[in-house]
Amino acid sequence: MENGTGVMAGREVVGRKSERPYKGIRMRKWGKWVAEIREPNKRSRIWLGSYSTPLAAARAYDTAVFYLRGPSARLNFPELLAGERAGGALGGDMSAALIRQKAIEVGARVDALEAAHHRHNHNHDCNRAYEQNHHQTSGAAEMKPSGGFFRRVDLNKLPDPEDS
């Protein structure tokens, strides 16, 4: 926002959008996403974990900030915590360790779901590419997938003469 003097007030958001797509997270040099949050009225931080995707890190942050600050917290995904009750907001003073545990559980679950979704799409694309390539290159001997998956070969077993 401009403050009338031609100078931008507040943080510059334009250049940082790709670096930090969500509040409370950052990307390490090697590509992992981490989440942490400052404890209220303290200088210490609560470490919320390291994740493969920014979405998982952001969900871990949302969980922690919700338990720390209650329903009035500024969340990355407010629609996902609608109707939840915060422990800290109801007088149940939660420790940093318990908040960290809950946030890590959520982040790890989201990370696992994202990884499974990515693997499923990757396998589906690989099978489709194999089928297209196989149909173009072979004529007589054609191997068909069984239920969308190809038979895996056990590399620890000696080949049988019938299989070759």
Side-chain angles (χ1 to χ4, degrees), residues 131-151:
E131 288 173 3
Q132 289 172 348
N133 188 28
H134 187 68
H135 286 297
Q136 292 171 355
T137 58
S138 71
E142 189 173 306
M143 186 169 105
K144 294 191 178 186
S146 166
F149 297 101
F150 293 98
R151 186 174 59 108

Side-chain angles (χ1 to χ4, degrees), residues 40-157:
N41 305 320
K42 294 184 182 178
R43 297 185 75 177
S44 59
R45 294 176 183 262
I46 301 173
W47 179 253
L48 304 175
S50 178
Y51 304 97
S52 300
T53 63
L55 179 66
R59 292 287 308 278
Y61 173 82
D62 276 7
T63 302
V65 77
F66 183 73
Y67 281 112
L68 281 171
R69 298 192 174 94
S72 63
R74 292 178 56 196
L75 305 171
N76 293 306
F77 306 101
E79 67 279 1
L80 297 177
L81 288 175
E84 290 286 323
R85 296 185 335 178
L90 299 176
D93 205 17
M94 293 180 72
S95 68
L98 187 57
I99 291 170
R100 178 185 308 112
Q101 178 186 358
K102 290 193 172 287
I104 288 173
E105 285 173 7
V106 170
R109 187 171 57 239
V110 171
D111 223 7
L113 289 171
E114 288 285 307
H117 179 71
H118 177 69
R119 268 195 311 274
H120 174 73
N121 286 344
H122 179 72
N123 288 342
H124 184 67
D125 292 343
C126 287
N127 285 344
R128 183 180 305 139
Y130 175 81
E131 288 173 3
Q132 289 172 348
N133 188 28
H134 187 68
H135 286 297
Q136 292 171 355
T137 58
S138 71
E142 189 173 306
M143 186 169 105
K144 294 191 178 186
S146 166
F149 297 101
F150 293 98
R151 186 174 59 108
R152 293 183 188 244
V153 177
D154 185 2
L155 298 176
N156 295 321
K157 184 177 153 186

